[in-house]
Amino acid sequence: MRKPVGKLGSSTEKYGDPTLVRFLIARSMDPEKAAKMFAQWLKWRAAFVPNGSIPDSEVQDELRPRKVFLQGLSRDGYPVLLVKANKHFPSKDQLQFKKYVVHLLDKAIASSFKGREIGNEKLIAILDLQQIAYKNIDARGLITGFQLLQAYYPERLAKCFILSMPWFFVSVWRMVSRFLEKATLEKVMIVTSEEERDFFVEEIGEEVLPEEYGGRAMLVAPEDVTVPPVEG
């Protein structure tokens, strides 16, 4: 894969094998397709996140409702992002919303670094649909989030749990699902049965899961999380 990346005018010099393997897996181990995806990712990062990260100051409107929480690491060491959909409203500023998604993904992934990024870090997402109303439904926002994950964060999603899906959201989810790759869909679990809920609690761990979901933790806003400095 390194050779075709070079032919595209890009470089893999700063990245180890675990990073490249993520792109290879996302493109069915085809080095040419993986190289193209990697080169597009480098170009996108340079343009969209030129300073390496998006600060809180650029996404204040999205942070204000305190609708997303970063709960620490799951039993398997994955950062846990929890979204309370009933506090979300479709954004009038799509650019800021995209920056917000990138801000959250970058911070979640960085929170799992142990001094240095390996390149194969993953995260768990929880989408809580409890008490949502029609005004909270944002199919465009969901599609945007998943598309950013698929295009620029290959193999970063370990699992996505959807809780308390109401009947009127089922058709929305069917429509959103059409934009998801098969590999992404396979990582999504809509929790409905008691057995699935037990599996969900077990996967996350009571230590980081908030009390209202069967755990023992408090909710933690991303802006209250300090990401340790990366070595090197």
Side-chain angles (χ1 to χ4, degrees):
M1 177 182 162
R2 293 184 186 274
K3 288 181 179 179
V5 168
K7 290 178 182 177
L8 291 169
S10 297
S11 172
T12 60
E13 186 179 353
K14 296 179 181 178
Y15 303 95
D17 290 350
T19 297
L20 303 187
V21 167
R22 285 193 295 107
F23 286 85
L24 280 164
I25 293 172
R27 289 298 175 262
S28 304
M29 304 308 287
D30 184 316
E32 299 290 338
K33 290 180 180 178
K36 184 178 179 181
M37 186 184 192
F38 181 82
Q40 289 172 338
W41 170 70
L42 284 179
K43 186 177 179 180
W44 171 79
R45 288 293 301 188
F48 201 78
V49 198
N51 298 317
S53 63
I54 293 174
D56 292 2
S57 59
E58 291 188 25
V59 291
Q60 280 299 315
D61 292 344
E62 295 293 338
L63 286 171
R64 200 168 290 118
R66 292 175 83 86
K67 57 191 173 184
V68 178
F69 303 89
L70 184 52
Q71 289 301 121
L73 304 182
S74 72
R75 291 268 168 86
D76 291 327
Y78 302 139
V80 177
L81 265 180
L82 168 63
V83 181
K84 283 183 168 286
N86 68 337
K87 293 187 177 183
H88 171 76
F89 300 94
S91 179
K92 295 176 182 177
D93 185 342
Q94 282 300 303
L95 177 58
Q96 183 177 171
F97 180 73
K98 287 180 180 178
K99 286 186 175 183
Y100 177 60
V101 173
V102 172
H103 168 84
L104 290 173
L105 293 175
D106 283 356
K107 191 159 191 177
I109 292 164
S111 70
S112 69
F113 293 171
K114 294 177 176 64
R116 184 185 295 275
E117 179 180 5
I118 295 172
N120 59 0
E121 293 85 358
K122 297 178 183 288
L123 62 89
I124 291 177
I126 303 171
L127 178 59
D128 181 9
L129 301 176
Q130 190 171 9
Q131 296 181 334
I132 66 164
Y134 286 105
K135 61 185 177 182
N136 303 120
I137 293 177
D138 186 10
R140 182 182 180 182
L142 258 180
I143 292 168
T144 295
F146 276 112
Q147 286 184 331
L148 282 168
L149 258 175
Q150 291 177 162
Y152 304 119
Y153 295 85
E155 293 301 307
R156 287 296 201 186
L157 182 66
K159 200 80 179 173
C160 176
F161 293 98
I162 301 181
L163 311 179
S164 307
M165 183 182 289
W167 63 267
F168 60 83
F169 197 85
V170 173
S171 59
V172 177
W173 178 248
R174 283 202 194 107
M175 190 265 285
V176 171
S177 297
R178 296 191 193 118
F179 293 86
L180 272 58
E181 296 170 1
K182 184 173 180 286
T184 303
L185 267 176
E186 289 174 349
K187 295 172 184 175
V188 177
M189 173 183 277
I190 300 172
V191 179
T192 54
S193 68
E194 197 63 40
E195 184 181 352
E196 289 169 341
R197 182 162 286 277
D198 289 343
F199 174 78
F200 159 70
V201 174
E202 181 67 26
E203 280 286 291
I204 304 300
E206 294 180 4
E207 299 78 14
V208 298
L209 198 61
E211 293 177 357
E212 62 191 281
Y213 302 99
R216 300 194 298 269
M218 303 288 285
L219 288 167
V220 183
E223 52 268 43
D224 296 333
V225 175
T226 302
V227 177
V230 180
E231 295 175 1

